[in-house]
């Protein structure tokens, strides 16, 4: 985190338990970000918090530290059973849930609290066994969690802490009914610590907060602009048949160290992947139906720098915390203006700078006015010069594989495939 994104508030001044101070020091942080400085004091006093902040601002550490502190200072009841978690943290995507769990392991390593991670797509029986044996803090996505809940694998009668992260995205993915179902089966709001975070505290998010929280303190971290100031944005007006040559030309010219290419469909992602391979560029596709173990392997390779290019649908637009992404390419402009902000927010994280290049083509240029209206300014345009257009080599040939039935172990992220099985309803 760069100096300009930090406040003068030190974690050591907040009265945190010694195990948490030790975890913070080992992560290398000393000073709070604005969202941490504003939300931690009321949360540490036991007040509910509804916070508005963009991704990459440090909100995960804020709710983890507050939750850990509450559990350390409010012992569990004597009659609590192993399959009764003391805290539940809900995230809209499995990538975000995995990242929260990773951060929780770092910050809470000295607390003695047991973490559990639950999400669709893999490890069904292993996750079930883990819940039966018991965890203190349950982190996961709504679909898989409610599946186990309806099977009575665990219950929430002893829950002391609730966190809803990226609540606006919960609505977008259709999870909100499931979430309300779970919240109604927890102790009353005044008997637990509740924290909600969202990129926007819209009317529907605020209504959810006041319905299931105890008079929450509202914290809004204002930014001068919707998008990060250190993202260099550019847009190229291009014909459809120029997009692949232009992409190859920009990659050759800019030599990105680690980049994400966003597309709107899996079919286009696979087409780009074939062209990149045919032109000696190493890349991989991340979309909703990629098996979870493969997704995690690809993300680890990308994070470690072994894989320089990731081609992704919007399933990857939120919840990815990958350092040093130098370039984001919007090969297809998103059809939702908010998704543009989330996509380009994958670069220029933690105070770094980055480039976001977008193509306004024949199919998706209609989205541009809404995007520019949402961010509040026109994106600088660049000419599509002939020296930028590379004549591509033929795409790599791929063997078509028969589709496998999507069973319990192959759930993909999203409302349709991440909801509980009917026989458990």
């Amino acid at each position: 985190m760069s100096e300009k994104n930090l406040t003068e508030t030190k974690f050591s001044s907040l009265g945190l338990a010694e195990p948490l101070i030790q975890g913070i020091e080992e992560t290398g942080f000393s000073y709070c970000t604005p969202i941490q400085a504003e939300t931690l004091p009321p949360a540490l006093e036991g007040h509910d918090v509804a916070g508005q902040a963009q991704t990459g601002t440090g909100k995960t550490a804020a709710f983890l530290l507050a939750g850990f502190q509450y559990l350390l200072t409010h012992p569990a009841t004597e009659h609590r059973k192993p399959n009764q978690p003391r805290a539940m943290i809900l995230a809209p995507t499995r990538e975000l849930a995995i990242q929260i769990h990773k951060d929780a392991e770092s910050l809470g390593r000295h607390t003695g609290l047991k973490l559990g991670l639950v999400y669709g797509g893999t490890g069904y029986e292993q996750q079930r066994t883990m819940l039966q044996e018991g965890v203190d803090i349950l982190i996961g996505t709504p679909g898989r969690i409610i599946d186990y809940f309806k099977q009575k694998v665990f219950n929430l009668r002893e829950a002391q802490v609730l966190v809803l992260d990226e609540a606006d995205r919960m609505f977008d993915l259709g999870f909100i009914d499931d979430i309300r179902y779970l919240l109604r089966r927890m102790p009353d709001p005044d008997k637990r610590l509740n924290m909600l975070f969202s990129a926007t505290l819209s009317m529907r998010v605020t209504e959810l907060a006041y319905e299931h929280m105890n008079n929450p303190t509202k914290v809004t971290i204002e930014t001068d602009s919707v998008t990060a100031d250190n993202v260099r944005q550019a847009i190229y007006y291009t014909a459809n048949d120029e997009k692949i040559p232009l992409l190859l030309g920009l990659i050759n010219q800019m030599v990105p160290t680690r980049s994400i290419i966003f597309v709107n469909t899996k079919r286009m992602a696979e087409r780009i992947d074939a062209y990149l391979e045919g032109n000696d560029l190493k890349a991989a596709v991340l979309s909703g139906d990629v098996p979870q173990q493969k997704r995690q392997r690809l993300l680890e390779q990308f994070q470690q720098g072994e894989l320089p290019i990731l081609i992704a649908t919007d399933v990857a637009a939120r919840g990815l915390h990958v350092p040093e992404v130098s370039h984001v390419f919007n090969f297809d402009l998103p059809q939702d203006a908010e998704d543009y902000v989330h996509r380009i927010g994958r670069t220029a994280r933690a105070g770094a700078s980055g480039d976001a290049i977008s193509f306004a083509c024949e199919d998706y240029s209609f989205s541009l006015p809404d995007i520019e209206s949402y961010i509040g300014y026109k994106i600088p345009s660049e000419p599509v010069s002939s020296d930028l257009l590379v004549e591509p080599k033929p795409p790599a040939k791929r063997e078509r594989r028969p589709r496998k039935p999507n069973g319990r172990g192959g759930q993909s992220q999203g409302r349709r495939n991440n909801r509980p099985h009917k026989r458990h309803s």
Side-chain angles (χ1 to χ4, degrees):
M1 194 68 66
S2 70
E3 300 256 339
K4 71 174 184 177
N5 292 322
L6 298 177
T7 67
E8 296 181 357
T9 303
K10 298 189 74 171
F11 288 108
S12 58
S13 69
L14 297 175
L16 290 164
E18 183 57 34
L20 295 177
I21 292 295
Q22 193 174 351
I24 292 168
E25 288 177 350
E26 289 175 4
T27 62
F29 295 113
S30 299
Y31 293 88
C32 295
T33 65
I35 190 66
Q36 293 163 355
E38 293 291 328
T39 58
L40 277 170
L44 293 174
E45 291 179 2
H47 299 298
D48 289 1
V49 170
Q52 175 178 319
Q54 298 294 327
T55 184
T57 56
K59 56 187 172 66
T60 301
F63 64 67
L64 285 175
L65 291 172
F68 280 133
Q69 178 80 0
Y70 194 88
L71 297 183
L72 292 174
T73 56
H74 295 75
T77 62
E78 293 181 359
H79 55 266
R80 172 182 171 256
K81 298 176 182 177
N83 70 334
Q84 294 178 316
R86 299 178 61 195
M88 179 171 67
I89 301 174
L90 290 175
T93 65
R94 49 195 166 195
E95 284 77 21
L96 182 55
I98 291 167
Q99 184 62 46
I100 292 170
H101 182 264
K102 183 179 178 181
D103 292 345
E105 285 183 318
S106 298
L107 291 171
R109 67 182 60 174
H110 302 292
T111 63
L113 296 169
K114 187 175 180 181
L115 306 174
L117 177 61
V118 167
Y119 56 88
T122 187
Y124 193 91
E125 292 303 326
Q126 295 95 316
Q127 292 176 14
R128 180 189 177 99
T129 300
M130 173 195 64
L131 284 175
Q132 290 172 329
E133 293 176 350
V135 299
D136 293 302
I137 300 174
L138 173 58
I139 302 167
T141 53
R144 180 62 67 90
I145 283 179
I146 201 170
D147 187 350
Y148 292 132
F149 183 86
K150 287 190 173 184
Q151 295 182 64
K152 297 182 171 51
V153 176
F154 74 100
N155 68 62
L156 294 166
R157 288 192 285 271
E158 293 293 316
Q160 299 169 268
V161 175
L162 167 71
V163 176
L164 298 179
D165 194 18
E166 296 201 353
D168 51 343
R169 188 64 165 163
M170 302 282 197
F171 280 96
D172 295 340
L173 292 174
F175 286 138
I176 211 63
D177 289 340
D178 288 347
I179 290 169
R180 284 195 163 103
Y181 176 89
L182 291 170
L183 299 190
R184 287 194 292 268
R185 283 151 182 84
M186 298 180 73
D188 292 339
D190 61 351
K191 294 180 174 63
R192 61 181 196 247
L193 174 67
N194 305 284
M195 291 172 282
L196 175 151
F197 289 85
S198 181
T200 58
L201 287 179
S202 61
M203 184 65 69
R204 60 184 185 176
V205 173
T206 303
E207 182 182 9
L208 177 72
Y210 283 101
E211 181 183 353
H212 294 284
M213 299 174 74
N214 181 31
N215 192 27
T217 300
K218 185 177 177 181
V219 175
T220 300
I221 302 301
E222 298 288 356
T223 56
D224 294 332
S225 59
V226 175
T227 57
D229 292 333
N230 44 356
V231 178
R232 294 179 292 269
Q233 299 174 67
I235 193 153
Y236 291 84
Y237 294 88
T238 175
N240 286 352
D241 59 4
E242 292 177 336
K243 291 174 75 176
I244 293 288
L246 179 58
L247 177 66
L248 294 172
L250 289 171
I251 291 174
N252 288 345
Q253 184 186 81
M254 296 179 168
V255 194
T257 55
R258 187 176 301 170
S259 58
I260 303 177
I261 300 170
F262 281 108
V263 294
N264 291 346
T265 66
K266 175 194 169 188
R267 182 178 179 182
M268 181 57 72
E270 292 174 341
R271 182 169 181 258
I272 295 171
D273 186 35
Y275 266 105
L276 293 182
E277 183 180 340
N279 287 267
D280 304 318
L281 292 168
K282 187 178 180 182
V285 172
L286 186 68
S287 60
D289 62 350
V290 173
Q292 186 61 34
Q293 289 184 346
K294 183 178 180 181
R295 289 164 65 90
Q296 286 309 114
R297 186 174 71 252
L298 293 177
L299 284 174
E300 287 173 7
Q301 291 174 341
F302 187 61
Q303 290 171 333
Q304 294 167 5
E306 299 171 9
L307 184 66
I309 301 173
L310 197 64
I311 308 163
T313 56
D314 278 309
V315 70
R318 291 203 192 192
L320 289 183
H321 298 264
V322 181
E324 300 174 3
V325 173
S326 61
H327 293 71
V328 166
F329 294 92
N330 283 309
F331 188 87
D332 297 331
L333 276 177
Q335 294 170 285
D336 186 299
E338 230 177 295
D339 285 338
Y340 175 82
V341 175
H342 295 307
R343 287 182 180 188
I344 72 171
R346 298 312 96 202
T347 188
R349 298 180 72 82
S353 60
D355 289 275
I357 298 98
S358 301
F359 296 173
C361 66
E362 299 163 51
D363 290 335
Y364 296 110
S365 59
F366 67 88
S367 300
L368 186 58
D370 287 343
I371 291 171
E372 293 181 331
S373 175
Y374 183 75
I375 64 177
Y377 54 85
K378 287 186 70 66
I379 302 170
S381 63
E382 296 288 342
V384 181
S385 56
S386 58
D387 60 320
L388 275 181
L389 299 176
V390 170
E391 183 65 35
K393 298 176 186 176
K397 292 184 178 180
R398 304 288 173 81
E399 292 183 10
R400 286 195 172 275
R401 297 180 180 179
R403 288 180 61 89
K404 294 181 180 180
N406 192 24
R408 175 180 280 168
Q411 294 180 23
S412 62
Q413 180 61 43
R415 175 179 172 85
R416 182 180 61 190
N417 290 326
N418 206 21
R419 288 179 62 82
H421 303 285
K422 285 186 178 180
R423 63 190 180 92
H424 299 147
S425 299

